Amino acid sequence: MSAVAKDIIDKTRSLRSEVTQPFTASKRVYVKGSRDDLRVPMREIQLQSTRSTSGLERNPPVTVYDTAGPYQDPDTQIDLLNGLTPLRQSWIEERQDTEHLSGPSSRFGQDRESDPALAPLRFEHIRAPRRARAGANVTQMHYARRGIITPEMEFVAIRENCRLQELRETYAGAGYLKNRHPGQSFGAMLPEEVTAEFVRQEIAAGRAIIPNNINHPESEPMIIGRNFRVKINANIGNSAVTSSIAEEVEKMVWSTRWGADTIMDLSTGKNIHETREWILRNSPVPIGTVPIYQALEKVDGKAEELTWEIFRDTLIEQAEQGVDYFTIHAGVRLQYVPLTADRLTGIVSRGGSIMAKWCLAHHQESFLYTHFEDICEIMKAYDVAFSLGDGLRPGCLADANDAAQFGELETLGELTQIAWKHDCQVMIEGPGHVPMQLIKENMDKELKDCFEAPFYTLGPLTTDIAPGYDHITSAIGAAQIGWYGTAMLCYVTPKEHLGLPDKDDVRDGIVTYKIAAHAADLAKGHPGAQVRDNALSKARFEFRWEDQFNLALDPERARDFHDQTLPKEGHKAAHFCSMCGPNFCSMKITQDVRDYAEQKKIDAADALNKGMQEKAAEFRDKGAEIYHES
Amino acid sequence: MSAVAKDIIDKTRSLRSEVTQPFTASKRVYVKGSRDDLRVPMREIQLQSTRSTSGLERNPPVTVYDTAGPYQDPDTQIDLLNGLTPLRQSWIEERQDTEHLSGPSSRFGQDRESDPALAPLRFEHIRAPRRARAGANVTQMHYARRGIITPEMEFVAIRENCRLQELRETYAGAGYLKNRHPGQSFGAMLPEEVTAEFVRQEIAAGRAIIPNNINHPESEPMIIGRNFRVKINANIGNSAVTSSIAEEVEKMVWSTRWGADTIMDLSTGKNIHETREWILRNSPVPIGTVPIYQALEKVDGKAEELTWEIFRDTLIEQAEQGVDYFTIHAGVRLQYVPLTADRLTGIVSRGGSIMAKWCLAHHQESFLYTHFEDICEIMKAYDVAFSLGDGLRPGCLADANDAAQFGELETLGELTQIAWKHDCQVMIEGPGHVPMQLIKENMDKELKDCFEAPFYTLGPLTTDIAPGYDHITSAIGAAQIGWYGTAMLCYVTPKEHLGLPDKDDVRDGIVTYKIAAHAADLAKGHPGAQVRDNALSKARFEFRWEDQFNLALDPERARDFHDQTLPKEGHKAAHFCSMCGPNFCSMKITQDVRDYAEQKKIDAADALNKGMQEKAAEFRDKGAEIYHES
């Protein structure tokens, strides 16, 4: 057994005890689609009943979107050494537009495969890659434009609904649908119910993407578009300085537990090919990469030595492993580079600075730009989605919304149209560091210049003065840009600008971004978003402490914080909390007020009744005749 | 020595080592005003020089607003047993409109003073209280409306500027003023330089307040108004369940270290009179309270037994101790109470629920409402500012912006005008739990209905589903409402809804709210806000790690996070960071790009020069005559 495999086995043990531990009172459920192998996973949170003077009132369970894949399914045996079940494989095969290759067609992939020194690092069950047949186009956009609803589209439609229709029909009285506020959607059109046909239309129009490489059949389809739930991405990846393969796999699983919708593997160190294989084979969510990072490794970090051939080989290498989307910095045009010279912090995107250096060294447009149609040919042969990178994004507030940034954005719009000509799926990356009053301009310009292709932003950070808290400086911006229309938010951890995130940082970053994305859904008026808020608020008001924890984005932290002040088990059933103590509690007083008001109503009814009885007696006294004869 | 004094002495020791430890590379400076005893404290952060090919370039220090009072002045001897120096005492005395009382005039104050059993708890150097002379009005608003610029007003003017004018004149080239983005201020008018006369006008108009009770002369004046820097408040306070006097004093000092502009003492347990005395005598920032909490203690928690007399005695008791602002829930009118009956979470404000219960029990308007002018008489005799409480604020998203909440807000507007008739200073409290798309309506309505009196909001939380992270759910809302015009943001800690905050939670809550307030200042276009962002971004770009830490809102956490990944001291001078490693770094590449671009310019100039030399040689060859004779 290889060294990495041993390490992974150790991790598997810890996975069982912590990383994949089921959430208390949560149950994995599957909603079936039109075919038996279309089963959409969700998490159902069971709640306690409400005790009132009139007896027990049932609180129906709350169904929430679940990104954790098989790791939260107690009926699935997890084996990281074998990878996950390829649930999409039959869907891909049925389309009969792909072929199995005998092995990797990239030169680098072949070299790694045949290098015996890598055996200790290698995932042991590598499948031969699949590719579109000659002349075929296997993107979801291609199918959508031809009017085909794929199982992937139906899957995301069911997933987006999260059983809202069932809730409306069966549990309308439970209070979860109470006082749903109208949203302000800035042009987004959120349907009351997502149908597979709606998904198809959105993908055909380029307003949404389903990133799912045919070589990553283990992934559960998810959709990125502003007419759907706002998604979040978590970055992982080893670097030259720190972290191992097993750690990265663990972080990937950990990320899906807390709610990462996609994961980017930003590894820059050695063995990133092998690391990626381990991650892909075990990831239930789409994986994105920045291929130029690896290409740079292949030329020993010398940007000017990069060539189209090396880059092309890298794209094919990664596409055949199953990467679902590629960040491609093709918008860094030669003319924009000098526009950054007077910036306070120049070019801070790694990909952007590599390409800028290349452009200057060769004094010509980059091979990403000149070979863009060649890239499209590769993307459509595997259905890798474009994530057009913002290589010139601002690295500080002072540089926000400048000519370099917006020039590149316009070029990304041109490239979007080229990609769409090939039916390639596209999203657009956005900044970065932007003060609040300049955020909306970014969104508006992206929608206009990039023809409503989904926007995928990093933050933005709304101030530069809080290293150590940049998950927060950026969540403020992320919530806003999500509200304005950004489809996916790339998380920022507390370690941003300072170091590599550990597991705790990943959890903090993800939960923070789930908050931002959810706040955005609420503000846009997503039809199902307020259900969980209402259920949790009701639990809070009724002192159902366990339900309050279980409905929380991070039940474990909520429970832990409560127990720090009131550790006794009995306190969780108590009708008071630590802020007010047992003798005084505003929520208790409110209940008294409500009871009093109720009593008032009863009294009033009694009084009315009594009044009527008096009237009735008077009526009887007068002879009890309806018509007094005149 | 009393038990509490011993406890306090222990705390004093720990204060020295942690709570009041100076920030690295920071220097306490004082900016003098028009008189010798008007010295405004600020924190000056010293920076390293930039090393470049052309030698060392000096980075001027950055001056930041400092709330820590004498605790960050190494020349001051802190003695919690004696309290702080009463720096405003002579200003108050000079006005000759106050008189010293022989002792507390409240009955409760007298009882506590004469109770020997309280000796072990009591602060030992209680001053006799001061009160306005008969017929006098000692509020800052009263002076302002008579055209008087007080030392307090001059103090806050200097404080708000934070030496921006000096920076402009002396260090204009340092890059700190670079690319200042225009703000979007929604009607706020932020002057390029705050003058004492501007402060006076704002206070006279009711758009700003300086909360500074004449019995709290230890406090350093600060201003709350939307045409000034956005401020934050931190809540402390013991409860029946936990925490001691010494702990609360420590939390108060700790809060000012991290940037709390005011502190509310929300104690509800026993001995809150004595706790408050300790806090006030040692607090450099204004202290606010909710007097109804203590009044409720006096009637053993039975809201319906509260009377105007008990409440009045409590106001005087606290005013004579020096509380700077009172939350008064006078807007909870009888007619609004039934409007809350159908809410998902009823009345969640403690003060609101007490008053609602009282109103229902007596079926009449509360004594806060009926005696409002009597309250004004008390407020103006000590200059206690009103913080008109939002007793009917929503406790969850579902209840946001409803008839009960907005009805109360309208009543707060009516009460504002009554208070202003008495020249009493007023701010208005706001919610609570509000989804993003409904936040602006709160601000707009407050400005309109309350005639631009400063708004002081709790969050608002933008979702209910993240207990354990409510500092973040609420910072998202706080940054927005601060941008829209809220003058002070009441912090929320990670323990909100779950337990009482410990020191770490207080720090997290404060830093999070400093971020929100600063993001709001930036978005409004505050003239000096971007200076610190630019200085930090420049340090980041130039790999001046120590400067990046020292300029951070929380230097200790930034340093700690960095050291977790790269602990070696040498790495802090290294031109790379842990994200990219030593061989590849986007910032390094950018520098190369810049150097390259610079070299290109030089080359171009050389070429031009060479071309000119060739022309010159040709010119010489041709005979070096300017005019060829024809």
Side-chain angles (χ1 to χ4, degrees), chain A residues 178 181-182 342-343 347 360 397 463-465 469 495 499 533 537 553-554 564 578 590 594 596, chain B residues 178 181-182 342-343 347 360 397 437 463-465 469 495 499 533 537 553-554 564 578 590 594 596:
Chain A
K178 192 170 176 172
H181 298 291
D342 279 337
R343 280 180 164 184
I347 301 174
L360 285 184
L397 296 198
T463 166
D464 302 329
I465 68 170
Y469 297 81
K495 288 271 170 62
D533 294 79
S537 298
L553 278 179
D554 185 343
Q564 284 176 26
S578 57
T590 304
R594 208 177 269 187
Y596 185 97
Chain B
K178 191 168 177 170
H181 298 292
D342 279 337
R343 280 180 164 186
I347 301 175
L360 285 184
L397 296 197
Q437 82 276 26
T463 166
D464 301 330
I465 68 169
Y469 297 81
K495 288 272 171 64
D533 294 80
S537 297
L553 278 179
D554 185 343
Q564 284 176 27
S578 58
T590 304
R594 208 177 269 185
Y596 185 98

Short mmCIF file of all heavy atoms in Angstrom, two decimals, chain A residues 178 181-182 342-343 347 360 397 463-465 469 495 499 533 537 553-554 564 578 590 594 596, chain B residues 178 181-182 342-343 347 360 397 437 463-465 469 495 499 533 537 553-554 564 578 590 594 596:
data_model
loop_
_atom_site.label_atom_id
_atom_site.label_comp_id
_atom_site.label_asym_id
_atom_site.label_seq_id
_atom_site.Cartn_x
_atom_site.Cartn_y
_atom_site.Cartn_z
N LYS A 178 -44.82 32.06 6.79
CA LYS A 178 -45.42 33.30 7.30
C LYS A 178 -44.61 34.55 6.91
O LYS A 178 -43.38 34.54 6.98
CB LYS A 178 -45.49 33.19 8.82
CG LYS A 178 -46.34 34.26 9.48
CD LYS A 178 -46.57 33.96 10.94
CE LYS A 178 -47.35 35.10 11.57
NZ LYS A 178 -47.79 34.81 12.92
N HIS A 181 -41.31 38.19 2.89
CA HIS A 181 -41.18 39.55 2.39
C HIS A 181 -40.92 39.55 0.88
O HIS A 181 -40.16 38.72 0.39
CB HIS A 181 -40.02 40.26 3.08
CG HIS A 181 -40.20 40.42 4.55
ND1 HIS A 181 -41.15 41.24 5.10
CD2 HIS A 181 -39.57 39.83 5.60
CE1 HIS A 181 -41.09 41.17 6.42
NE2 HIS A 181 -40.14 40.32 6.75
N PRO A 182 -41.52 40.47 0.15
CA PRO A 182 -41.17 40.60 -1.28
C PRO A 182 -39.69 40.93 -1.41
O PRO A 182 -39.14 41.67 -0.60
CB PRO A 182 -42.03 41.77 -1.76
CG PRO A 182 -43.01 42.05 -0.67
CD PRO A 182 -42.44 41.52 0.60
N ASP A 342 0.33 52.36 -12.32
CA ASP A 342 0.19 53.39 -11.29
C ASP A 342 -0.70 52.95 -10.14
O ASP A 342 -1.05 53.75 -9.27
CB ASP A 342 -0.38 54.68 -11.90
CG ASP A 342 0.72 55.47 -12.57
OD1 ASP A 342 1.90 55.27 -12.20
OD2 ASP A 342 0.40 56.28 -13.46
N ARG A 343 -1.07 51.70 -10.13
CA ARG A 343 -1.92 51.21 -9.04
C ARG A 343 -1.15 51.19 -7.72
O ARG A 343 0.08 51.08 -7.71
CB ARG A 343 -2.38 49.79 -9.35
CG ARG A 343 -3.54 49.71 -10.32
CD ARG A 343 -3.89 48.25 -10.52
NE ARG A 343 -5.21 48.10 -11.12
CZ ARG A 343 -5.79 46.93 -11.33
NH1 ARG A 343 -5.17 45.80 -10.97
NH2 ARG A 343 -7.00 46.85 -11.85
N ILE A 347 -0.84 44.24 -9.87
CA ILE A 347 -1.62 43.06 -10.24
C ILE A 347 -1.49 42.04 -9.13
O ILE A 347 -0.40 41.59 -8.81
CB ILE A 347 -1.12 42.47 -11.57
CG1 ILE A 347 -1.22 43.53 -12.68
CG2 ILE A 347 -1.91 41.22 -11.94
CD1 ILE A 347 -0.61 43.09 -14.01
N LEU A 360 4.33 41.08 -21.53
CA LEU A 360 5.39 42.09 -21.62
C LEU A 360 6.67 41.48 -22.18
O LEU A 360 7.37 42.09 -22.98
CB LEU A 360 5.65 42.69 -20.23
CG LEU A 360 4.61 43.67 -19.73
CD1 LEU A 360 5.05 44.26 -18.39
CD2 LEU A 360 4.37 44.79 -20.74
N LEU A 397 -8.71 48.71 -2.07
CA LEU A 397 -9.82 49.62 -2.38
C LEU A 397 -9.41 50.69 -3.38
O LEU A 397 -10.17 51.05 -4.27
CB LEU A 397 -10.33 50.31 -1.11
CG LEU A 397 -10.95 49.48 0.00
CD1 LEU A 397 -11.74 50.39 0.92
CD2 LEU A 397 -11.80 48.36 -0.51
N THR A 463 -13.14 46.64 3.00
CA THR A 463 -12.08 47.47 3.58
C THR A 463 -10.81 46.64 3.63
O THR A 463 -10.87 45.40 3.64
CB THR A 463 -12.42 48.00 5.00
OG1 THR A 463 -11.22 48.52 5.61
CG2 THR A 463 -12.95 46.89 5.90
N ASP A 464 -9.68 47.32 3.66
CA ASP A 464 -8.38 46.62 3.66
C ASP A 464 -7.75 46.55 5.05
O ASP A 464 -6.65 46.01 5.18
CB ASP A 464 -7.39 47.36 2.73
CG ASP A 464 -7.90 47.47 1.31
OD1 ASP A 464 -8.63 46.56 0.88
OD2 ASP A 464 -7.56 48.45 0.62
N ILE A 465 -8.42 47.07 6.07
CA ILE A 465 -7.71 47.27 7.34
C ILE A 465 -7.92 46.16 8.36
O ILE A 465 -7.58 46.33 9.53
CB ILE A 465 -8.07 48.63 7.99
CG1 ILE A 465 -9.53 48.65 8.47
CG2 ILE A 465 -7.79 49.78 7.04
CD1 ILE A 465 -9.85 49.86 9.33
N TYR A 469 -9.57 39.08 9.72
CA TYR A 469 -11.04 39.11 9.74
C TYR A 469 -11.58 39.31 8.31
O TYR A 469 -12.67 39.84 8.14
CB TYR A 469 -11.55 40.26 10.61
CG TYR A 469 -11.19 40.17 12.07
CD1 TYR A 469 -9.94 40.56 12.54
CD2 TYR A 469 -12.11 39.70 13.01
CE1 TYR A 469 -9.61 40.48 13.89
CE2 TYR A 469 -11.80 39.62 14.35
CZ TYR A 469 -10.54 40.01 14.78
OH TYR A 469 -10.23 39.93 16.12
N LYS A 495 -7.77 33.60 7.35
CA LYS A 495 -6.32 33.61 7.09
C LYS A 495 -5.94 34.37 5.82
O LYS A 495 -4.75 34.49 5.51
CB LYS A 495 -5.80 32.17 6.98
CG LYS A 495 -5.76 31.41 8.29
CD LYS A 495 -4.46 31.58 9.06
CE LYS A 495 -4.54 31.01 10.45
NZ LYS A 495 -4.77 29.58 10.49
N GLY A 499 -1.97 33.58 5.68
CA GLY A 499 -1.45 32.22 5.71
C GLY A 499 -2.43 31.27 5.08
O GLY A 499 -3.48 31.69 4.58
N ASP A 533 -35.38 30.38 8.24
CA ASP A 533 -35.36 31.50 9.20
C ASP A 533 -36.59 31.45 10.09
O ASP A 533 -36.50 31.60 11.31
CB ASP A 533 -35.33 32.85 8.46
CG ASP A 533 -34.04 33.05 7.68
OD1 ASP A 533 -33.93 32.49 6.59
OD2 ASP A 533 -33.16 33.75 8.18
N SER A 537 -36.65 30.84 14.04
CA SER A 537 -37.17 31.91 14.91
C SER A 537 -38.29 31.39 15.79
O SER A 537 -38.37 31.74 16.98
CB SER A 537 -37.67 33.08 14.05
OG SER A 537 -36.59 33.61 13.31
N LEU A 553 -26.94 27.00 10.77
CA LEU A 553 -25.96 26.65 9.74
C LEU A 553 -24.81 25.85 10.35
O LEU A 553 -24.23 25.01 9.69
CB LEU A 553 -25.39 27.92 9.10
CG LEU A 553 -26.22 28.56 7.99
CD1 LEU A 553 -25.51 29.82 7.49
CD2 LEU A 553 -26.42 27.60 6.84
N ASP A 554 -24.49 26.13 11.60
CA ASP A 554 -23.44 25.39 12.29
C ASP A 554 -23.97 24.94 13.65
O ASP A 554 -23.75 25.59 14.67
CB ASP A 554 -22.19 26.27 12.46
CG ASP A 554 -21.02 25.52 13.05
OD1 ASP A 554 -21.22 24.43 13.63
OD2 ASP A 554 -19.88 26.02 12.95
N GLN A 564 -21.32 26.76 26.99
CA GLN A 564 -20.27 27.48 27.72
C GLN A 564 -20.86 28.30 28.86
O GLN A 564 -20.24 28.49 29.89
CB GLN A 564 -19.49 28.39 26.79
CG GLN A 564 -18.50 27.65 25.89
CD GLN A 564 -17.82 28.58 24.91
OE1 GLN A 564 -17.70 29.77 25.16
NE2 GLN A 564 -17.38 28.03 23.79
N SER A 578 -29.40 32.52 29.08
CA SER A 578 -28.37 33.06 29.97
C SER A 578 -28.34 34.58 30.00
O SER A 578 -27.81 35.17 30.92
CB SER A 578 -27.02 32.53 29.54
OG SER A 578 -26.79 32.87 28.19
N THR A 590 -43.28 38.24 26.80
CA THR A 590 -44.08 38.35 25.59
C THR A 590 -45.17 37.29 25.57
O THR A 590 -46.32 37.55 25.18
CB THR A 590 -43.20 38.18 24.34
OG1 THR A 590 -42.17 39.16 24.41
CG2 THR A 590 -44.00 38.38 23.08
N ARG A 594 -49.08 37.85 25.31
CA ARG A 594 -49.93 37.18 24.34
C ARG A 594 -51.10 36.48 25.04
O ARG A 594 -52.25 36.57 24.60
CB ARG A 594 -49.09 36.17 23.56
CG ARG A 594 -49.59 35.90 22.19
CD ARG A 594 -48.66 34.95 21.46
NE ARG A 594 -47.63 35.65 20.72
CZ ARG A 594 -46.79 35.01 19.89
NH1 ARG A 594 -46.85 33.70 19.77
NH2 ARG A 594 -45.89 35.68 19.23
N TYR A 596 -52.28 37.29 27.88
CA TYR A 596 -53.14 38.34 28.41
C TYR A 596 -54.06 38.87 27.31
O TYR A 596 -55.27 39.03 27.51
CB TYR A 596 -52.25 39.47 28.96
CG TYR A 596 -53.01 40.58 29.64
CD1 TYR A 596 -53.15 40.59 31.03
CD2 TYR A 596 -53.58 41.61 28.91
CE1 TYR A 596 -53.84 41.61 31.67
CE2 TYR A 596 -54.28 42.63 29.52
CZ TYR A 596 -54.41 42.63 30.90
OH TYR A 596 -55.08 43.64 31.53
N LYS B 178 -4.18 58.58 -2.06
CA LYS B 178 -4.33 58.20 -3.46
C LYS B 178 -5.71 57.60 -3.77
O LYS B 178 -6.24 56.81 -3.00
CB LYS B 178 -3.26 57.15 -3.78
CG LYS B 178 -3.11 56.85 -5.24
CD LYS B 178 -1.86 56.04 -5.52
CE LYS B 178 -1.81 55.69 -6.99
NZ LYS B 178 -0.52 55.11 -7.37
N HIS B 181 -12.05 57.39 -3.40
CA HIS B 181 -13.27 57.25 -4.19
C HIS B 181 -14.36 58.20 -3.68
O HIS B 181 -14.51 58.35 -2.47
CB HIS B 181 -13.79 55.82 -4.12
CG HIS B 181 -12.85 54.81 -4.68
ND1 HIS B 181 -12.54 54.73 -6.01
CD2 HIS B 181 -12.11 53.84 -4.07
CE1 HIS B 181 -11.69 53.74 -6.21
NE2 HIS B 181 -11.40 53.19 -5.05
N PRO B 182 -15.11 58.79 -4.57
CA PRO B 182 -16.25 59.59 -4.11
C PRO B 182 -17.24 58.69 -3.38
O PRO B 182 -17.42 57.53 -3.75
CB PRO B 182 -16.87 60.12 -5.42
CG PRO B 182 -15.90 59.81 -6.51
CD PRO B 182 -15.03 58.69 -6.03
N ASP B 342 -49.74 38.79 16.60
CA ASP B 342 -49.63 37.79 15.52
C ASP B 342 -48.20 37.62 15.00
O ASP B 342 -47.97 36.95 14.01
CB ASP B 342 -50.55 38.18 14.35
CG ASP B 342 -51.98 37.75 14.63
OD1 ASP B 342 -52.17 36.83 15.45
OD2 ASP B 342 -52.89 38.36 14.04
N ARG B 343 -47.27 38.24 15.68
CA ARG B 343 -45.89 38.11 15.23
C ARG B 343 -45.38 36.69 15.45
O ARG B 343 -45.85 35.96 16.33
CB ARG B 343 -45.00 39.05 16.03
CG ARG B 343 -45.03 40.49 15.56
CD ARG B 343 -44.12 41.31 16.45
NE ARG B 343 -43.80 42.59 15.85
CZ ARG B 343 -42.92 43.44 16.37
NH1 ARG B 343 -42.30 43.14 17.50
NH2 ARG B 343 -42.67 44.58 15.78
N ILE B 347 -42.66 40.25 21.22
CA ILE B 347 -41.82 41.37 21.64
C ILE B 347 -40.53 40.79 22.22
O ILE B 347 -40.57 40.05 23.19
CB ILE B 347 -42.55 42.22 22.70
CG1 ILE B 347 -43.86 42.76 22.11
CG2 ILE B 347 -41.66 43.36 23.17
CD1 ILE B 347 -44.72 43.51 23.13
N LEU B 360 -50.63 46.65 29.49
CA LEU B 360 -51.79 45.75 29.46
C LEU B 360 -52.36 45.57 30.86
O LEU B 360 -53.59 45.55 31.05
CB LEU B 360 -51.40 44.40 28.89
CG LEU B 360 -51.20 44.35 27.36
CD1 LEU B 360 -50.91 42.93 26.92
CD2 LEU B 360 -52.43 44.90 26.63
N LEU B 397 -36.70 37.92 11.09
CA LEU B 397 -36.95 38.54 9.79
C LEU B 397 -38.44 38.68 9.50
O LEU B 397 -38.88 39.69 8.95
CB LEU B 397 -36.33 37.70 8.66
CG LEU B 397 -34.82 37.52 8.61
CD1 LEU B 397 -34.42 37.04 7.23
CD2 LEU B 397 -34.07 38.77 8.98
N GLN B 437 -33.12 43.77 1.87
CA GLN B 437 -33.91 44.64 1.00
C GLN B 437 -34.85 45.55 1.79
O GLN B 437 -35.42 46.49 1.22
CB GLN B 437 -34.69 43.82 -0.05
CG GLN B 437 -36.00 43.19 0.42
CD GLN B 437 -35.83 41.86 1.13
OE1 GLN B 437 -34.78 41.57 1.71
NE2 GLN B 437 -36.88 41.06 1.13
N THR B 463 -30.14 37.55 8.59
CA THR B 463 -30.75 36.22 8.54
C THR B 463 -30.80 35.68 9.97
O THR B 463 -30.02 36.09 10.83
CB THR B 463 -30.01 35.23 7.63
OG1 THR B 463 -30.48 33.90 7.90
CG2 THR B 463 -28.51 35.25 7.88
N ASP B 464 -31.73 34.74 10.19
CA ASP B 464 -31.90 34.17 11.53
C ASP B 464 -31.26 32.80 11.68
O ASP B 464 -31.35 32.20 12.75
CB ASP B 464 -33.41 34.02 11.84
CG ASP B 464 -34.15 35.34 11.77
OD1 ASP B 464 -33.53 36.38 12.03
OD2 ASP B 464 -35.35 35.33 11.44
N ILE B 465 -30.61 32.30 10.62
CA ILE B 465 -30.24 30.88 10.65
C ILE B 465 -28.81 30.61 11.10
O ILE B 465 -28.32 29.49 10.94
CB ILE B 465 -30.47 30.20 9.28
CG1 ILE B 465 -29.50 30.74 8.21
CG2 ILE B 465 -31.91 30.36 8.83
CD1 ILE B 465 -29.51 29.91 6.93
N TYR B 469 -22.83 32.82 14.90
CA TYR B 469 -22.17 33.70 13.92
C TYR B 469 -22.96 35.01 13.77
O TYR B 469 -22.88 35.64 12.72
CB TYR B 469 -22.08 33.02 12.55
CG TYR B 469 -21.24 31.76 12.52
CD1 TYR B 469 -21.76 30.54 12.94
CD2 TYR B 469 -19.93 31.79 12.06
CE1 TYR B 469 -21.00 29.38 12.90
CE2 TYR B 469 -19.16 30.64 12.01
CZ TYR B 469 -19.70 29.43 12.44
OH TYR B 469 -18.94 28.29 12.39
N LYS B 495 -21.87 35.19 20.60
CA LYS B 495 -22.72 34.49 21.59
C LYS B 495 -24.17 34.97 21.58
O LYS B 495 -25.00 34.43 22.32
CB LYS B 495 -22.15 34.70 23.00
CG LYS B 495 -20.86 33.93 23.28
CD LYS B 495 -21.09 32.52 23.79
CE LYS B 495 -19.80 31.73 23.85
NZ LYS B 495 -18.83 32.28 24.80
N GLY B 499 -25.63 32.87 24.74
CA GLY B 499 -25.02 32.97 26.06
C GLY B 499 -24.40 34.33 26.26
O GLY B 499 -24.49 35.20 25.40
N ASP B 533 -6.58 52.30 4.93
CA ASP B 533 -6.65 51.25 3.91
C ASP B 533 -5.48 51.36 2.95
O ASP B 533 -4.82 50.37 2.62
CB ASP B 533 -7.96 51.35 3.11
CG ASP B 533 -9.19 51.08 3.97
OD1 ASP B 533 -9.61 52.00 4.70
OD2 ASP B 533 -9.71 49.95 3.94
N SER B 537 -2.53 48.72 2.48
CA SER B 537 -2.39 48.07 1.18
C SER B 537 -0.98 48.26 0.63
O SER B 537 -0.39 47.35 0.05
CB SER B 537 -3.42 48.63 0.19
OG SER B 537 -4.72 48.35 0.65
N LEU B 553 -6.78 46.40 12.26
CA LEU B 553 -7.69 46.66 13.39
C LEU B 553 -7.33 45.77 14.57
O LEU B 553 -7.52 46.15 15.72
CB LEU B 553 -9.14 46.38 12.97
CG LEU B 553 -9.86 47.49 12.22
CD1 LEU B 553 -11.26 47.04 11.86
CD2 LEU B 553 -9.92 48.78 13.05
N ASP B 554 -6.86 44.57 14.29
CA ASP B 554 -6.44 43.66 15.36
C ASP B 554 -5.04 43.13 15.02
O ASP B 554 -4.89 42.05 14.47
CB ASP B 554 -7.44 42.50 15.48
CG ASP B 554 -7.15 41.58 16.66
OD1 ASP B 554 -6.01 41.64 17.19
OD2 ASP B 554 -8.04 40.80 17.05
N GLN B 564 1.21 31.23 12.42
CA GLN B 564 0.77 29.84 12.40
C GLN B 564 1.26 29.11 11.17
O GLN B 564 1.53 27.92 11.19
CB GLN B 564 -0.76 29.76 12.46
CG GLN B 564 -1.32 30.03 13.84
CD GLN B 564 -2.84 30.03 13.83
OE1 GLN B 564 -3.46 29.39 13.00
NE2 GLN B 564 -3.45 30.76 14.74
N SER B 578 2.81 32.81 2.55
CA SER B 578 2.58 31.38 2.62
C SER B 578 1.66 30.88 1.52
O SER B 578 1.63 29.70 1.22
CB SER B 578 1.99 31.03 3.98
OG SER B 578 0.80 31.76 4.18
N THR B 590 4.30 41.19 -10.08
CA THR B 590 3.83 42.53 -10.39
C THR B 590 4.96 43.54 -10.32
O THR B 590 5.06 44.44 -11.14
CB THR B 590 2.71 42.94 -9.42
OG1 THR B 590 1.69 41.96 -9.50
CG2 THR B 590 2.16 44.29 -9.78
N ARG B 594 6.27 45.94 -13.16
CA ARG B 594 6.44 47.39 -13.00
C ARG B 594 7.86 47.80 -13.40
O ARG B 594 8.07 48.79 -14.10
CB ARG B 594 6.15 47.75 -11.55
CG ARG B 594 5.66 49.15 -11.38
CD ARG B 594 5.34 49.41 -9.93
NE ARG B 594 3.94 49.12 -9.60
CZ ARG B 594 3.42 49.37 -8.41
NH1 ARG B 594 4.17 49.88 -7.43
NH2 ARG B 594 2.16 49.11 -8.17
N TYR B 596 9.77 46.21 -15.36
CA TYR B 596 9.89 46.02 -16.80
C TYR B 596 9.30 47.23 -17.54
O TYR B 596 9.91 47.77 -18.46
CB TYR B 596 9.15 44.74 -17.19
CG TYR B 596 9.28 44.36 -18.64
CD1 TYR B 596 10.22 43.42 -19.04
CD2 TYR B 596 8.46 44.95 -19.61
CE1 TYR B 596 10.34 43.06 -20.38
CE2 TYR B 596 8.59 44.60 -20.94
CZ TYR B 596 9.53 43.66 -21.32
OH TYR B 596 9.63 43.32 -22.64
#
